[in-house]
Amino acid sequence: MNQPVLRIFSYLPNPRVWKSLIAAKLLGVDVVVTGDKPAQLGNWLWDAHPRLLTEEEKTPDNPAARQGRRGFKGTLYKTDEFLQAHPFGTVPAAFSADGRVGIFESNSILRSVVRAAPNDPELPKLYGRSHYEASRIDSFLDANLVFAREAQVYLLGIESLSEEAYQRMVGAYEFYLDGLEAALTESEAEQSVDSGRKNPADETNSFLVGGILSIADISFVCDFAQFLREGHYEKSLQAQGYGLISRGGLQQYPRTYKHLLSMSTRPEFAQIMGSYLDWYRSPK
Ligand SMILES: N[C@@H](CCC(=O)N[C@@H](CS)C(=O)NCC(=O)O)C(=O)O
């Protein structure tokens, strides 16, 4: 049997892993994921060959025992080899087929999937059609990571937010969404010129870069869907005197929200994302 091109270890489900799985599906790349529920990852050996630990191995004197640093509170068991390959010690953690090369940061794992795709002109050009398009896609991936990091801090602390932390997320949200809305507006205008359409605002299925589906769209959908989880904490936010930051998003940023919703119903997205956004699509 052929070796998978990439092996990913993570807690599951994880929208950061979905980025790679969606691209892998679109491009026919073999990616294998190993993982467990977030609360279970403390029972795993974080390694190029991850496995469940025995009870006897879960002791403070296990050389792999480390304190969780970002999102995980208790002890995690990360081998030295894991930390050599993954210096920041985070998941999703991808490994090359031979387990020697660690690839971290979900956007970089996503890029790695595209680079591993067969050289087939029929496949979608998920990393653009020129080096300019590829670089513009990188620009969106970077902007996305900045937003996603702010969202990570916000969601991890959402049940006890300072006014400063809340306002910081509001600012990051507005900055990111203003940019996306502007890019999608521009993309629609270009498409309507290309196709002679009369009303650019009617077109909702445009893309972030070059008028074609790219990993910029994939990364946005996964990270933004995760941010929308703030909706599950509406009561808690209210009790703290705050409102949902995403409230009224569809009215304020119609192109961006419609882009998210329409992309997530595409088969390659829906098969990976499952029912993750159902609660958002049909709120109680
Ligand atoms: N920006 C990173 C985020 C990765 C990250 O922060 N992962 C956290 C869990 S959400 C982690 O692995 N923490 C390990 C720890 O707490 O030691 C990505 O997109 O991959």
Side-chain angles (χ1 to χ4, degrees):
M1 219 173 74
N2 283 344
Q3 287 234 23
V5 173
L6 273 184
R7 289 183 283 119
I8 301 177
F9 174 62
S10 179
Y11 63 87
L12 301 172
N14 183 351
R16 296 187 181 102
V17 174
W18 295 345
K19 298 177 186 180
S20 292
L21 294 183
I22 293 166
K25 206 171 248 306
L26 283 158
L27 299 173
V29 173
D30 192 10
V31 174
V32 167
V33 180
T34 308
D36 210 331
K37 295 187 188 73
Q40 291 299 324
L41 274 209
N43 296 322
W44 281 75
L45 188 67
W46 294 34
D47 188 67
H49 302 282
R51 63 170 174 84
L52 271 168
L53 293 159
T54 62
E55 283 311 312
E56 296 72 55
E57 286 176 308
K58 285 186 271 175
T59 57
D61 60 352
N62 183 327
R66 337 253 168 184
Q67 181 60 39
R69 299 187 63 186
R70 184 171 275 185
F72 289 94
K73 291 214 172 72
T75 303
L76 297 171
Y77 297 89
K78 304 178 185 178
T79 61
D80 289 344
E81 293 73 22
F82 180 88
L83 288 173
Q84 273 153 21
H86 290 276
F88 300 103
T90 52
V91 288
F95 288 89
S96 56
D98 62 8
R100 285 163 189 254
V101 183
I103 303 149
F104 44 92
E105 283 298 333
S106 55
N107 284 345
S108 291
I109 305 172
L110 171 61
R111 290 182 180 96
S112 180
V113 171
V114 181
R115 291 183 179 121
N119 191 4
D120 177 349
E122 298 297 313
L123 289 173
K125 297 271 178 276
L126 293 186
Y127 212 154
R129 291 157 298 198
S130 67
H131 79 273
Y132 287 125
E133 276 187 4
S135 301
R136 189 166 162 82
I137 288 166
D138 282 339
S139 310
F140 278 103
L141 294 180
D142 286 356
N144 201 56
L145 172 58
V146 172
F147 170 78
R149 171 64 184 143
E150 297 287 341
Q152 182 186 39
V153 174
Y154 172 66
L155 289 171
L156 286 172
I158 198 159
E159 290 182 293
S160 171
L161 290 167
S162 67
E163 177 69 24
E164 191 191 350
Y166 180 76
Q167 290 306 337
R168 188 173 164 120
M169 189 66 237
V170 171
Y173 170 86
E174 288 174 357
F175 186 84
Y176 182 54
L177 284 239
D178 282 348
L180 291 180
E181 192 69 12
L184 290 169
T185 304
E186 186 61 28
S187 167
E188 279 180 12
E190 276 169 19
Q191 279 188 37
S192 75
V193 169
D194 288 350
S195 64
R197 252 186 240 107
K198 290 250 162 47
N199 182 3
D202 288 343
E203 178 55 73
T204 56
N205 203 10
S206 54
F207 300 99
L208 286 169
V209 179
I212 57 166
L213 173 66
S214 77
I215 54 175
D217 303 292
I218 295 174
S219 182
F220 152 69
V221 168
C222 295
D223 280 328
F224 199 65
Q226 186 165 36
F227 167 74
L228 290 178
R229 278 185 48 233
E230 68 150 4
H232 295 307
Y233 297 89
E234 186 167 11
K235 284 207 179 94
S236 170
L237 285 169
Q238 272 167 3
Q240 296 171 68
Y242 307 124
L244 277 186
I245 296 174
S246 54
R247 164 90 57 239
L250 196 56
Q251 289 73 43
Q252 204 182 350
Y253 300 107
R255 289 169 180 82
T256 308
Y257 275 76
K258 282 181 190 163
H259 190 48
L260 168 83
L261 295 173
S262 88
M263 296 290 295
S264 64
T265 56
R266 289 176 167 241
E268 296 84 359
F269 286 68
Q271 284 160 21
I272 302 291
M273 297 174 74
S275 56
Y276 194 75
L277 277 177
D278 286 0
W279 71 273
Y280 181 79
R281 266 185 249 279
S282 42
K284 296 238 162 47

